[in-house]
Amino acid sequence: MQRLPLLTRLLRRRTRKGPPARYDVHWQPAVAVPAADGVSLMTDHYAPVTDEPCPTVLIRAPYVRVGFPFNYLYGALFAEQGYHVLLQSSRGTGGSGGDFHPWHGEGDDGRATVAWLRERDWFTGDLYTAGASYMTYTQWALATDPPPEWRGAVMQVGHSDAHDFFWRGGAFGLERALVGGTGLFNQALTTWAYARVILRLQRRMRRVVRGVPILDVYPQVYGGRRPAFEEWLAHPEKEFWHDSDLTPVADKLTVPVSLSTGWWDLSPEQVIEHYQRLRAAGNDPDLLIGPWTHTSALEDGWPVLFEQAMRRLRGEPAPYRIRIFMGGADEWRDLPSWPPPEMREQRWFLGEGTLRLAEGTGVSSFRYDPTDPTPSIGGPLQSPTQGQRDNAGLEARSDVLLFTGEPLLEAVEIIGAVRAEFDAATTAVSGDLFARLCDVDPTGRSINICDGLTRFTADGRVTVEMGPAGHRFKPGHRIRLQVSGGAHPRFLRNYGTGEPPGPATRMVHTDTTIRHTSSLVLPVV
């Protein structure tokens, strides 16, 4: 064991993102842990400086050993509270042997690591797991055959279904594939090397997402071709992803679990489904939903997430089943279930630029031009415009329809899943409908609450699942539904030809008609 790296020591002294430290921390980098097939899995061991027995926390992912922030947030901060912490690189990444295949083999390698732990004299037999994003997926993989030493899991802003992650609604999640793939495919061993990878991504992202064919331009972001990315892009069918979908594992998991997500996280729908499945199976999970994106959860939300994690690792009961941050009211609320029992669906019908409780007649239409695609601004992004944003620039575009209600005489509160049901038609082989719920204040400022996209090919009813929300529309505010033909590059633009997106270069515009029998369905409490 040796002293922590200088940067980590400085962060511990000058930046407190948690309670006071109980112990000093030492570490042992690049410990070779054998997998079942003999491959070495590189693992950093962070240990509290004490002779007392301490439980162990296992955290696994391709990028977890790059350095900051994971060495600080999980290595140092968890260890100083009295836990042995293992940060382990998935096989084929970060110095680990073998070949990396996203979403495959993580369970077997996790169990091999537990077998190795059993032989350590410092291992007490009490194992916990923790982590965010892909670190959550590796926990679900371990749950396919859970080891008997497993005492609890902390799953933060995660997912368990890669098909839903990339193809939710039927359009490819281009931005999350490029940004997420940067972390998965560029297993830098130092913070500074990884920083250079991120700089390349930022410099080339705009050029890549505008280029065609996407199969020829995407390597500029990664620094070379990546077969996994090409597989993601080539397979919208759910059957291809079957083996990587671990969502059903929640139906039988008995290990205590703490879940967290943000309203603008990448997969809050999946996290809520995890909670509901665990609860239905007799587990007693707790769920935290904050005003966060995928990245800000580990920044602005870290004190809250860390408190939740420490409570789970100490085996203490949560003071809530579900705790959400209520937008508009700017307060935390505790719920007995999701959705809450008092929730009732309320239908708002579209009119000529209006949104009202009575059904009307007429139609509205817009033209979507893939050569000038409607941009993605706000919401579950991994770019600087992520989260809740002023939608003025987006709503000024001619390819964006607005349906706005009258100023509210009293507050309207929503908690639950939001959706839009359209009676729509398109002139192209296929069209996309992007729907966004917004809160318009008395000054006219429009901020996004939740949204979603659905690709459709036939005229008729089109349902757009807009995700979960917890929000209070104040008196004097107006409810707005924003409708367009895409959100690029969050979703790969629809070329309008029906051709496979990878090699496609030809584009045609799409005229979409929406009949005013369409409606916005709100979960009002």
Side-chain angles (χ1 to χ4, degrees), residues 187-335:
Q187 296 86 28
L189 297 179
T190 68
T191 301
W192 307 118
Y194 192 68
R196 289 194 294 271
V197 169
I198 297 300
L199 182 60
R200 180 180 66 203
L201 169 71
Q202 293 173 340
R203 286 202 314 262
R204 300 179 182 178
M205 184 75 165
R206 180 176 175 83
R207 184 194 319 160
V208 165
V209 300
R210 299 287 300 203
V212 291
I214 194 69
L215 278 178
D216 288 347
V217 296
Y218 88 85
Q220 298 177 44
V221 164
Y222 294 142
R225 306 197 77 87
R226 295 293 184 269
F229 174 86
E230 296 181 13
E231 285 186 347
W232 304 341
L233 181 63
H235 291 284
E237 70 280 6
K238 189 171 179 62
E239 294 75 16
F240 174 82
W241 304 79
H242 179 266
D243 291 343
S244 64
D245 181 8
L246 301 183
T247 305
V249 175
D251 296 339
K252 61 180 182 180
L253 184 62
T254 58
V255 173
V257 179
S258 289
L259 300 165
S260 60
T261 186
W263 294 126
W264 305 285
D265 187 14
L266 299 180
S267 298
E269 301 90 349
Q270 290 193 35
V271 177
I272 290 172
E273 182 178 356
H274 297 155
Y275 175 85
Q276 292 173 321
R277 283 176 175 260
L278 287 165
R279 180 69 62 180
N283 202 316
D284 188 27
D286 57 271
L287 171 62
L288 184 66
I289 309 178
W292 311 311
T293 65
H294 192 64
T295 53
S296 72
L298 299 186
E299 298 167 354
D300 301 336
W302 183 252
V304 181
L305 294 187
F306 187 75
E307 178 185 9
Q308 182 197 38
M310 287 297 108
R311 186 170 55 246
R312 174 58 66 200
L313 269 53
R314 292 192 297 262
E316 299 174 359
Y320 55 83
R321 283 190 168 184
I322 303 173
R323 178 166 290 175
I324 70 169
F325 188 83
M326 194 72 174
D330 295 332
E331 64 185 26
W332 291 95
R333 293 193 187 175
D334 294 348
L335 307 178

Side-chain angles (χ1 to χ4, degrees), residues 378-449:
L381 305 177
Q382 291 179 283
S383 58
T385 63
Q386 64 186 333
Q388 202 164 48
R389 297 285 166 174
D390 185 346
N391 280 237
L394 188 60
E395 294 177 349
R397 289 178 60 102
S398 61
D399 56 359
V400 177
L401 298 180
L402 305 179
F403 301 94
T404 311
E406 294 295 322
L408 297 170
L409 299 179
E410 58 184 22
V412 172
E413 293 192 347
I414 61 171
I415 301 176
V418 179
R419 72 180 186 274
E421 296 180 355
F422 295 104
D423 187 3
T426 178
T427 59
V429 174
S430 70
D432 289 348
L433 276 174
F434 178 78
R436 166 170 282 180
L437 175 65
C438 292
D439 182 339
V440 184
D441 70 16
T443 70
R445 183 173 183 262
S446 175
I447 61 169
N448 52 294
I449 308 303

